[in-house]
Amino acid sequence: FTLTTAKQLLGFAELAKTYNFAGKTVKLGADIELNEVDNTILQAWKAGTQVPASTWTPIGSATTPFAGTFDGQGYTISGLYLNATTESAGLFGTTVAAAVIKNFKLVDSYMKSTAVNLGIVGSGVLASMENIYTNAVMVSDTRCVAGFAGTLSSNGGTTYFKNCWFDGEVIQTKGSGDTYLAAGFLAQDGNAMMLEFDNCLSSGTVTGVSKVGGFMGWVNNYKAKNAEMFKNCLSVATVTATGSADYCGSYFGQFNTSPYGLTMTKSYGVGSKINGVYRSQDGSYKTAIESNTYIKTRDYLVEADETAIFPALTGETENAWAQDPYWNTSDRGTPILASFAEWWLDRQPTEGVFERIDTSWYDESKTEFTLTKVSEVLGIAQLSNEGKTFAGKTIKLGADIVLNEV
């Protein structure tokens, strides 16, 4: 089945109340906007001052979990609004082991829940999530909220996240204690499941109470001795734990997999520690990854400088990662996933990408400059970061400057 309209996508969710789509594939054949949305509207949804005409009902439930394949074929879903009061909510509510969810972007969307388990998938079992980008806002006042999935359990084999990018916002508004989990990808695993993240990027914002991570909140039951859990992954997520700063990390908030270990290969974390609290083989709890011999590290797993990451990531996955010129850290962009690069860059200001920062207008011998382009204005910040004080200089604007469409 191929869906091309908002009504058809809403109809899919309605049918999924009584039919699990086992053995069926549902595809997107066009970009679908469920509600008209811009940044002003999105902020109104977050503030609770506006509710759109179309509200979302998750695909699949505990009584009729989704069992098929959803293939977005690279298309975009936007304007999704969800305000849930029952457990396991998201684009999909509950899924089973055969479910495959792949190939789409979920953008400019808002999901809120007052019950446990919120994400693109609320809870359940999955075969895989592949080639998905999300910048959706996820808000919960209770446990297990994440950009991709709230809680997942074992499918009898390995559940894969492949080529996925969390670029959204996860907000846990209240809660206390150490069971309030929040993450960019998966709040918690369960039932001795095996997980693998391949070529995944976490660049969004996660704010939670405890066990807060750029990828996972709580690695609790991972059961594959010395298996590679992260391959060629990067976290530059902004991660904050309001209840306990110890239970917070760029990859996971708490790691508790004794007596099993895990391996991270060519995977990097920037801006905060890799892990929060972990439980070591002897059962004690510690907070420093440097002393954690039970996390096996290979190649280059450190709190890395951005300039070293791109060539390291592309060493084995040259086609999976692309340079992002917008972030412009030390003359290198932080890597982004290549499969989304063209689309993502098109969403940015339209001035030429590689002319985005222009400092060529500056001449030390001159005292006055007139700037007419976005790239030239951004060059002021670049020159300032390089040590220029502009003492005795005058900088003028010679045109209106639009830094971002707004």
Side-chain angles (χ1 to χ4, degrees), residues 69-271:
T69 295
F70 179 76
D71 184 354
Q73 297 197 111
Y75 290 106
T76 298
I77 298 171
S78 62
L80 186 151
Y81 178 93
L82 169 70
N83 191 354
T85 57
T86 56
E87 292 186 13
S88 302
L91 176 62
F92 293 82
T94 305
T95 57
V96 297
V100 174
I101 299 172
K102 62 183 180 179
N103 300 332
F104 65 94
K105 284 93 67 176
L106 177 65
V107 305
D108 304 334
S109 295
Y110 174 82
M111 302 188 202
K112 180 180 179 180
S113 180
T114 57
V116 298
N117 295 324
L118 176 67
I120 289 177
V121 174
S123 69
V125 188
L126 274 174
S128 64
M129 297 184 81
E130 306 170 23
N131 302 310
I132 300 170
Y133 169 94
T134 177
N135 71 355
V137 178
M138 305 283 185
V139 180
S140 173
D141 63 4
T142 186
R143 298 183 294 111
C144 299
V145 54
F148 278 81
T151 299
L152 292 179
S153 300
S154 174
N155 63 10
T158 301
T159 297
Y160 293 94
F161 289 85
K162 296 182 178 181
N163 210 59
C164 290
W165 183 355
F166 165 68
D167 196 30
E169 188 175 4
V170 170
I171 306 167
Q172 201 167 55
T173 57
K174 56 185 176 182
S176 61
D178 64 358
T179 59
Y180 283 77
L181 303 93
F185 276 78
L186 173 61
Q188 75 167 347
D189 61 343
N191 297 340
M193 76 180 300
M194 292 184 287
L195 284 163
E196 187 173 307
F197 294 85
D198 296 333
N199 302 322
C200 289
L201 171 61
S202 182
S203 63
T205 300
V206 185
T207 302
V209 178
S210 184
K211 296 186 176 75
V212 184
F215 274 89
M216 292 186 65
W218 192 7
V219 186
N220 186 37
N221 291 297
Y222 184 79
K223 194 172 183 180
K225 190 173 183 180
N226 299 330
E228 291 181 313
M229 187 172 182
F230 294 96
K231 297 179 181 178
N232 302 290
C233 292
L234 172 63
S235 176
V236 292
T238 300
V239 184
T240 305
T242 59
S244 174
D246 285 342
Y247 289 82
C248 182
S250 62
Y251 272 74
F252 37 80
Q254 181 170 341
F255 162 85
N256 182 17
T257 63
S258 177
Y260 300 96
L262 64 88
T263 300
M264 302 172 76
T265 303
K266 288 187 178 296
S267 294
Y268 311 91
V270 176

